[in-house]
Amino acid sequence: MIMQGKLIVGLDLPNVADAEKVVRELDGVVDFYKIGYRLVFGGGLEFARDLAAEGKKVFLDMKLLDIDNTVAEGVENIAMMGVSMLTLHAYPKAMRAAVAAAKGSDLCLLGVTVLTSMDEDDVREAGYADDPATLVRKRAAQAREAGMGGIVCSAAEAASVREILGNDMAIVTPGIRPAGAERGDQKRVMTPADALRAGATHLVVARPIIGAPDRRAAAQAILAEMQAA
């Protein structure tokens, strides 16, 4: 199925044993997985290497941000792990340092614009004068100028940032919820079909799949919806 490479299943699980079980259950249906903080601190980095060695695609969601040299050194080591995607916060200096460090590798660097758990009140409380949509567009432009591989944003902003990014950069959208699914702590959400129509290239789905009674069927249903779009 052509959509298989566009669906990224978030392994937001407490340990590697649980993550391995999900990967086994989804074998042949999904080949792209997100590993974030929770699993990273439960042995997830070695698991990421193992998945990559097995031919799976790995989206390492670390949201790096530090002084330029530290970001660059981290990216250099991550590029050698064989993972496909890596996130860092979309601060111009950090992005430029990461791009320089990843040069010559196949690592796709993604700038995280505004977290999908944040709305306008949250953004203003954090000290930004812009509303989320404006801030996303501003950071998308900075990511393009820095030479990043793409950005992470809400699907609600995908259409507007596609005009900024052109056709060559990835738009990865978390906060994807099939019709009728609970939002959880996400505030800016969209269905899989609508996200693709808006211009997203990759959809990150965690709870609607890993929390489903039949994970394989849940993933297949989302893929079918994506294919229909």
Side-chain angles (χ1 to χ4, degrees):
M1 181 179 287
I2 194 171
M3 289 295 135
Q4 190 177 48
K6 296 179 178 291
L7 174 61
I8 304 173
V9 172
L11 297 175
D12 299 336
L13 296 158
N15 56 65
V16 171
D18 287 347
E20 287 175 334
K21 185 174 186 294
V22 171
V23 172
R24 285 196 303 271
E25 290 177 8
L26 297 179
D27 185 47
V29 176
V30 175
D31 65 0
F32 211 152
Y33 296 95
K34 178 181 78 75
I35 294 178
Y37 286 151
R38 188 182 190 191
L39 189 54
V40 159
F41 297 123
L45 287 179
E46 287 303 319
F47 183 56
R49 288 189 180 92
D50 292 342
L51 285 178
E54 293 169 10
K56 306 293 187 186
K57 295 179 182 177
V58 177
F59 169 23
L60 193 58
D61 189 19
M62 293 302 296
K63 299 183 181 70
L64 301 179
L65 182 61
D66 211 309
I67 62 172
D68 299 358
N69 192 56
T70 301
V71 168
E73 290 173 343
V75 170
E76 286 173 358
N77 275 353
I78 290 169
M80 292 186 288
M81 291 175 59
V83 302
S84 299
M85 290 179 165
L86 169 70
T87 56
L88 57 148
H89 281 290
Y91 284 64
K93 287 187 70 182
M95 290 192 291
R96 288 193 293 268
V99 167
K103 188 174 182 179
S105 76
D106 294 328
L107 181 62
C108 179
L109 296 171
L110 301 171
V112 177
T113 55
V114 177
L115 300 176
T116 52
S117 61
M118 299 178 72
D119 58 17
E120 186 166 357
D121 290 339
D122 298 319
V123 169
R124 294 197 184 283
E125 184 181 22
Y128 295 99
D130 295 323
D131 60 85
T134 301
L135 186 55
V136 167
R137 288 193 297 270
K138 182 181 294 183
R139 288 181 165 173
Q142 292 168 334
R144 184 198 62 200
E145 291 163 6
M148 297 281 283
I151 65 164
V152 179
C153 69
S154 161
E157 289 102 34
S160 64
V161 297
R162 177 54 72 198
E163 297 176 1
I164 295 168
L165 299 179
N167 296 323
D168 296 331
M169 294 178 66
I171 298 178
V172 179
T173 56
I176 300 300
R177 294 290 184 270
E182 293 292 329
R183 287 187 171 217
D185 58 357
Q186 301 285 9
K187 295 181 179 178
R188 289 156 37 243
V189 302
M190 192 173 284
T191 66
D194 287 342
L196 289 175
R197 293 189 188 106
T201 60
H202 298 78
L203 311 184
V204 180
V205 183
R207 277 168 281 188
I209 292 177
I210 64 173
D214 186 335
R215 292 164 174 157
R216 193 176 183 88
Q220 289 171 327
I222 290 172
L223 284 166
E225 181 180 344
M226 293 167 65
Q227 189 70 34

